[in-house]
Amino acid sequence: MLKHMAPKFQVDNQSVNCRPDTLTIAICTYNRAGLLRDLLGNLVQVFNATPDRIRELCDVLVVDNNSADHTGNVLREFESLLPVTVVRETR
């Protein structure tokens, strides 16, 4: 079996690792909870698979630019459906 080095990068001093054999979908958001809910819901529909299978196919990276709305609640709604990694910027 071949071993690949997973890409690693920094976002606001937080390390994020990506798996080399999957699609990484990066989403930046700021006070757009409604649009984020629509986008994540559409991703679930596009993959049309079980949560475990979606986790095998992709990673979802959400960079929250210090949202003051209910973005965090939306992300929690989808944590059982999508492999979401959240990076919260504090400034």
Side-chain angles (χ1 to χ4, degrees), residues 39-84:
L39 174 60
L40 295 176
N42 287 334
L43 283 177
V44 171
Q45 289 180 355
V46 164
F47 280 103
N48 190 27
T50 65
D52 288 337
R53 180 66 179 137
I54 293 173
R55 281 183 178 78
E56 292 174 6
L57 298 171
C58 76
D59 291 316
V60 179
L61 171 64
V62 178
V63 179
D64 179 3
N65 298 120
N66 203 22
S67 296
D69 63 358
H70 56 278
T71 293
N73 293 338
V74 170
L75 292 168
R76 282 186 287 281
E77 289 175 26
F78 285 91
E79 65 187 6
S80 65
L81 300 173
L82 292 169
V84 177

Side-chain angles (χ1 to χ4, degrees), residues 27-45:
I27 304 164
C28 295
T29 188
Y30 175 71
N31 289 339
R32 298 286 185 258
L35 293 174
L36 182 63
R37 178 181 285 118
D38 293 344
L39 174 60
L40 295 176
N42 287 334
L43 283 177
V44 171
Q45 289 180 355

